[in-house]
Amino acid sequence: MDKAIELNAVDTTYEGEKIPCLKNITLHINKGEFIAVIGPNGAGKTTLLETINGLLESNRGEVKVLGKALRGDGNSIRKYVGYVPQDYSIDELTPFLVSDVVLMGRYGKIGLLKPITKKDKEIASNMMEYMGINNISKRPIGKLSGGQAQKVMIARALAKEPEIILMDEPFSNLDFEARREVSEKLIHFHKNKGMTFVIVIHDIASIPKSCNRVIVMDNGRIVADGNKEDILKPELLEMGYKGMVC
Ligand SMILES: Nc1ncnc2c1ncn2[C@@H]1O[C@H](COP(=O)(O)OP(=O)(O)O)[C@@H](O)[C@H]1O
Ligand SMILES: [Mg+2]
């Protein structure tokens, strides 16, 4: 089976730190998988996503994305990887409109200095409609509610039409109904576009139905990795991961 992501004995250490944040991570993800990553605050979930997309450089082991070794060069795979970051502090006075931000997803695919075509605009516009943010498309991005901004970031990542999509707590600002709605849309994308999904989820009740595999992290390590039914067994949660799944 074709691998989307391959980490072999990877350590990632933050600058100025002695102890690696990610410790000896080996993780193989096949194309088309839908993975949820869970674990307590500080477990290394964000660091894992940023190591996969090359925002952080690992200092030991090997990271391969779509068969290509990263070696600190995130740009080489950026085109194929969509990312919804956990923290996106948006300046209230930023001049960008929602429609500009979603269109940035297209730049991510075609290259920053390439001309935007009618087709790119169409894809961005369809994505706004799909995510239910058409009505706010001409509002400045800095003046949205947390939930609206989160939907815009998701629309931007999807507009890139990436092969792999990494999302870091994408539902954290959404209410219950919006979580269900957005989750359904992600499931649709997974099914119909064959994208590989890796989603960090805070609340295990929000894990989308398509998710086939759950990874549990703690203290920079993967402490459990298996299919959803096995990992999320109530008795296991009760015994082993008590307090870890938050
Ligand atoms: N820029 C940084 N410099 C040093 N340590 C960091 C930095 N960012 C995160 N860390 C540390 O790395 C660990 C993992 O953080 P993170 O990946 O954000 O965890 P999670 O996303 O699971 O909450 C934490 O102990 C955190 O304090
Ligand atoms: Mg995090």
Side-chain angles (χ1 to χ4, degrees):
M1 187 117 9
D2 270 358
K3 295 262 185 310
I5 298 165
E6 233 178 300
L7 274 70
N8 293 310
V10 165
D11 284 2
T12 299
T13 310
Y14 281 104
E15 228 176 283
E17 299 288 325
K18 289 202 183 72
I19 299 168
C21 172
L22 291 187
K23 302 174 186 85
N24 199 26
I25 300 278
T26 293
L27 172 64
H28 293 187
I29 296 174
N30 291 325
K31 282 190 182 166
E33 284 201 86
F34 196 124
I35 294 189
V37 181
I38 60 176
N41 289 332
K45 305 181 296 296
T46 297
T47 309
L48 176 69
L49 293 194
E50 297 203 342
T51 300
I52 292 171
N53 70 14
L55 283 174
L56 288 170
E57 188 175 355
S58 60
N59 55 304
R60 193 177 73 92
E62 179 186 52
V63 181
K64 273 184 170 177
V65 177
L66 298 168
K68 199 170 184 318
L70 279 195
R71 303 212 166 75
D73 177 18
N75 286 332
S76 60
I77 48 105
R78 194 106 335 133
K79 222 162 124 169
Y80 309 105
V81 181
Y83 183 44
V84 178
Q86 178 175 12
D87 298 311
Y88 42 89
S89 40
I90 302 169
D91 185 340
E92 212 182 301
L93 298 176
T94 181
F96 293 114
L97 307 178
V98 167
S99 53
D100 299 329
V101 173
V102 176
L103 204 54
M104 281 174 201
R106 296 305 300 166
Y107 279 112
K109 181 155 188 99
I110 63 175
L112 202 54
L113 300 173
K114 298 276 164 59
I116 280 284
T117 63
K118 211 172 135 201
K119 182 176 160 243
D120 293 312
K121 286 189 180 160
E122 218 170 85
I123 291 171
S125 158
N126 288 344
M127 201 53 68
M128 286 191 287
E129 176 146 7
Y130 188 64
M131 288 301 294
I133 51 173
N134 237 349
N135 55 330
I136 54 168
S137 70
K138 292 301 161 205
R139 289 192 52 195
I141 181 81
K143 298 221 157 60
L144 303 180
S145 73
Q148 287 172 324
Q150 205 148 37
K151 284 186 182 174
V152 173
M153 299 307 276
I154 294 170
R156 183 185 72 157
L158 292 176
K160 197 181 203 178
E161 299 182 316
E163 291 195 33
I164 298 172
I165 190 140
L166 310 174
M167 298 188 167
D168 203 344
E169 304 199 13
F171 303 147
S172 58
N173 290 311
L174 301 177
D175 60 34
F176 182 76
E177 188 49 34
R179 278 180 196 198
R180 206 186 46 76
E181 242 172 58
V182 173
S183 193
E184 289 295 327
K185 297 191 195 259
L186 300 186
I187 289 169
H188 172 87
F189 257 82
H190 176 249
K191 239 194 217 152
N192 295 294
K193 309 262 180 188
M195 285 180 190
T196 306
F197 277 76
V198 183
I199 305 195
V200 173
I201 296 263
H202 188 69
D203 163 25
I204 55 172
S206 304
I207 294 179
K209 280 198 289 289
S210 293
C211 166
N212 64 309
R213 179 172 164 198
V214 175
I215 288 169
V216 187
M217 291 190 74
D218 191 23
N219 194 23
R221 297 179 195 276
I222 291 175
V223 294
D225 177 356
N227 69 48
K228 187 168 58 179
E229 290 69 31
D230 290 339
I231 299 286
L232 299 181
K233 273 190 181 135
E235 60 272 26
L236 272 185
L237 289 174
E238 199 45 44
M239 281 164 25
Y241 312 135
K242 202 169 186 172
M244 287 200 32
V245 180
C246 48

